[in-house]
Amino acid sequence: MDKSPANTPPRRSTLALILLGGILAVSTASIFIKFAQHAGAPSIVIAAFRLTLATLGLAPFVLTRYRSELRRLSRREWFLALLSGVFLALHFAFWITSLQYASVASSVVLVTTTPLWVALFAPLVLHERVGMATYLGLLLALLGGTVVGLSDACRWQSDSLLCPAAATFFGGTAFLGDFLALAGAWMAAGYMLVGRSLRAKIDLIPYIFVVYGMAAVVLIAIMVGMGESPLGLPPLTYLWLVLLALVPQLLGHSIFNWSLKYIPVSLVSVTLLGEPVGSTVLAYFILQEQPGWVKIIGAVLIMAGIWLAARSADKS
């Protein structure tokens, strides 16, 4: 076993502080995205710009210091890295688009159900057992997701809950936003499961360079196919896009990828529970989005379900 300092796991207190920094960084993503959308940037352009800038920022460092490590990657490792990039691209395409139709609180709470899906899919991918706590977590999260969805479409009037007809509800923008956020969570689960099996063998920087680069290529292809362009946007929009690439992407997501080498994927994913809290607080003060008490109850149920599922997966 290699006992060199470079391979010595960091102390728990250091890991906790670094993960806290990652949570704070990713919590800014929804705010920067909302600002860019309000300035007229299409969602797919925001996603493609974010991953492309992150990849270009890493390129000089990787190509000068890690070229030999990239050449040593096996075909299987290249395939896994590229597959992880595809999942990441679809995660951002779905989630960023969801913010056009849903509030920050609803979108971020639903997209961070990722740990629940990680716990459910881990037996198939990582050959882990699923305990009863995982199924209880799924039940709680589904109940919470239903409450969040209804809170976006229904309203209280004279001590009664008024909801639209089923056809109107499922065809409404709130439901579309919530579903896109949930689809983003499914893609993120695939990204983390593939990353867990690969990250233990590859250093952080070349890993995220390959994954972010593949995600950028996929998103650019989708953007071109949709007839969108990153050119001609207001100057302030590019500031939000640059900040989006630097803070939540290069800093926040890279921290979570780095931690996958030292702690189980279920524990890494459970730290993402801090993102809805951070994003909702920022949205309250910056965007004046105030979540109602019904939505808060739904969010608590979802996070309780995620915690149970991830805890069960970690024990197994």
Side-chain angles (χ1 to χ4, degrees), residues 106 110 144-154 169 174-175 178:
S106 295
L110 290 171
T146 301
V147 171
V148 169
L150 290 176
S151 72
D152 284 328
C154 304
F169 173 74
F175 175 79
D178 291 345

Side-chain angles (χ1 to χ4, degrees), residues 115-183:
L116 175 65
W117 309 112
V118 167
L120 289 175
F121 295 142
L124 299 176
V125 179
L126 303 178
H127 307 293
E128 298 174 353
R129 296 180 60 188
V130 176
M132 285 301 298
T134 299
Y135 294 111
L136 178 57
L138 174 62
L139 181 62
L140 284 174
L142 290 176
L143 178 60
T146 301
V147 171
V148 169
L150 290 176
S151 72
D152 284 328
C154 304
R155 58 189 176 87
W156 285 98
Q157 182 174 327
S158 302
D159 296 328
S160 61
L161 185 64
L162 299 180
C163 295
T168 303
F169 173 74
F170 288 111
T173 57
F175 175 79
L176 176 60
D178 291 345
F179 177 77
L180 287 171
L182 191 58

